[in-house]
Amino acid sequence: DTLWDLAIAEVEKRENPDDDGKHVEVWEKSVLFMGNKNGGKTTIILRCLEREEIPKPTLALEYTFGRRARRHNTPKDIAHFWELGGGTSLLELIRIPITSNNIRSFAVVLVLDLSKPNELWTTMEKLLQVTRNHVNKILTKLEKTNPEVATEIKQRMRNNLQRDHPDYELVDPFPIPLVIIGSKYDIFHEFDSEMRKIISKTLRFVSHYYGASLVFTSKSEALLLKARGLINHLAFGYDKSKSVSVDHSKPLFIPAGLDSLSQIGPPPASDSDIGKMRANTPLELWKKVFEKTFPPKSFCDLQDTKDPAQDLQYAEYEVDVMRAQKNQ
């Protein structure tokens, strides 16, 4: 038998189990990690997959996967992990992992570097905007070709909040499951308490508004475990943790749907300042308040200037000689 014959036989065996009807569906999910450059995305993925290796800088879009068996002797569930490198400089690559074929089982993890508050809002806004536009395009297509799936996806995101939740009409859930991770909490913890409060409150508002889960993490094992729990829930369907931590002097941990606008409170600015700010939506108002304290870095500062072709970790003698010749 050739390798292909064996593969076909294996697939048929899984699809048509023996007469005792022990058919177990293999669960397959995809998760896209994106966020600040050097924000710790690779480290978080390696911890989730329990891999003991030293993270390398991510070039463009990288792929890895994890497998877990739910019970003994059952086929393993598969989770596809995609990682977008380069901060906000490679946004058009988002189209590659998110397609109409896998949109039902897709989730996004946004990793924001808490130690760089001046880049935080710009990075978050750009990445979420481009992802949302792309997902909405897919949903618009699906409404014509497969309306049941499109409705199911929209409904699932509304269900993150109970219908009787006081904010049910005030939020605008992200179209696919979203987890926001605030990384480098150890550096953030050294910040002035007022700055920490503004950043924490703003991220709580954004997460709640988008129907996302929020967790702060650092290299500490206990915090990484909490982040891992949320990601395992997305990737392998593990149970979601019910614990909540909203104390601004501690690392935040708030699963989707367990916060409320009344608990978060108004944007941290004086009434006269808020009165002067012209904003059409609550999100815009929070953005203005946040950027008053942390003026955003100009976008060109966030662009990646280094040429990946010069990176030593990708050196290939024959290719490099040809390139040198071509450049010459």
Side-chain angles (χ1 to χ4, degrees):
D1 285 3
T2 67
L3 195 56
W4 289 114
D5 297 331
L6 294 171
I8 291 166
E10 175 69 17
V11 168
E12 277 175 356
K13 196 171 98 190
R14 283 187 196 174
E15 285 176 354
N16 312 310
D18 307 332
D19 302 334
D20 55 4
K22 271 194 195 154
H23 181 43
V24 181
E25 199 182 347
V26 174
W27 162 295
E28 210 168 310
K29 293 271 175 162
S30 304
V31 184
L32 171 65
F33 286 75
M34 54 192 188
N36 291 82
K37 215 172 135 46
N38 304 326
K41 301 182 286 297
T42 312
T43 309
I44 292 168
I45 293 175
L46 291 174
R47 288 300 300 124
C48 282
L49 298 173
E50 295 173 14
R51 285 193 197 149
E52 298 291 332
E53 46 192 91
I54 293 156
K56 287 199 199 85
T58 301
L59 185 84
L61 185 69
E62 294 204 354
Y63 168 81
T64 183
F65 66 92
R67 300 170 72 184
R68 297 271 158 86
R70 264 177 277 188
R71 287 185 302 282
H72 189 56
N73 278 347
T74 58
K76 288 185 172 177
D77 295 333
I78 301 165
H80 306 281
F81 288 122
W82 294 88
E83 183 187 353
L84 180 71
T88 53
S89 57
L90 299 165
L91 291 169
E92 60 283 3
L93 292 179
I94 284 171
R95 299 197 308 267
I96 295 168
I98 310 179
T99 65
S100 48
N101 297 334
N102 65 12
I103 188 84
R104 281 172 83 173
S105 58
F106 211 97
V108 170
V109 175
L110 176 65
V111 180
L112 297 171
D113 186 338
L114 296 173
S115 68
K116 297 180 184 161
N118 299 72
E119 292 177 18
L120 199 139
W121 193 284
T122 321
T123 303
M124 171 176 77
E125 189 173 59
K126 284 214 154 48
L127 288 168
L128 291 183
Q129 225 166 10
V130 171
T131 310
R132 183 170 218 151
N133 292 346
H134 176 59
V135 170
N136 284 341
K137 268 187 206 154
I138 292 178
L139 289 178
T140 311
K141 265 193 210 152
L142 276 178
E143 271 164 2
K144 295 180 187 131
T145 57
N146 197 339
E148 294 89 21
V149 171
T151 315
E152 177 204 321
I153 290 171
K154 287 181 177 168
Q155 200 42 53
R156 186 180 63 192
M157 289 320 292
R158 292 285 336 165
N159 291 347
N160 255 341
L161 271 194
Q162 303 300 324
R163 274 197 180 276
D164 54 4
H165 194 292
D167 307 334
Y168 190 77
E169 295 301 329
L170 304 171
V171 296
D172 181 15
F174 203 68
I176 52 179
L178 173 66
V179 168
I180 296 178
I181 295 181
S183 67
K184 306 201 180 170
Y185 178 78
D186 42 346
I187 303 173
F188 171 76
H189 192 57
E190 306 296 317
F191 284 10
D192 165 68
S193 70
E194 204 44 47
M195 282 166 75
R196 286 208 313 263
K197 192 173 170 190
I198 294 172
I199 298 170
S200 298
K201 269 185 107 163
T202 305
L203 285 178
R204 274 181 71 185
F205 172 78
V206 170
S207 301
H208 183 57
Y209 187 74
Y210 284 137
S213 299
L214 175 66
V215 58
F216 283 3
T217 177
S218 70
K219 288 187 175 136
S220 111
E221 201 56 37
L223 291 185
L224 273 169
L225 270 175
K226 288 199 155 181
R228 206 170 117 191
L230 283 176
I231 295 164
N232 278 337
H233 169 68
L234 296 178
F236 298 106
Y238 288 16
D239 288 344
K240 220 168 30 177
S241 166
K242 291 281 189 289
S243 74
V244 176
S245 164
V246 293
D247 181 351
H248 296 304
S249 59
K250 297 192 179 112
L252 296 182
F253 180 78
I254 310 166
L258 298 184
D259 211 340
S260 68
L261 293 175
S262 57
Q263 276 180 294
I264 297 166
S270 67
D271 290 350
S272 62
D273 277 352
I274 287 182
K276 286 181 206 147
M277 291 176 183
R278 297 233 166 111
N280 298 326
T281 62
L283 195 66
E284 215 175 300
L285 180 64
W286 277 85
K287 176 183 177 172
K288 289 189 168 169
V289 171
F290 185 80
E291 293 190 338
K292 194 167 183 272
T293 312
F294 304 107
K297 272 193 168 181
S298 68
F299 186 54
C300 44
D301 294 347
L302 299 178
Q303 285 286 17
D304 199 6
T305 46
K306 216 169 74 183
D307 175 7
Q310 305 300 324
D311 193 322
L312 292 176
Q313 69 168 317
Y314 302 106
E316 280 188 53
Y317 179 72
E318 284 87 352
V319 178
D320 296 339
V321 169
M322 298 293 275
R323 271 192 78 123
Q325 216 173 340
K326 181 170 188 247
N327 292 342
Q328 197 179 343

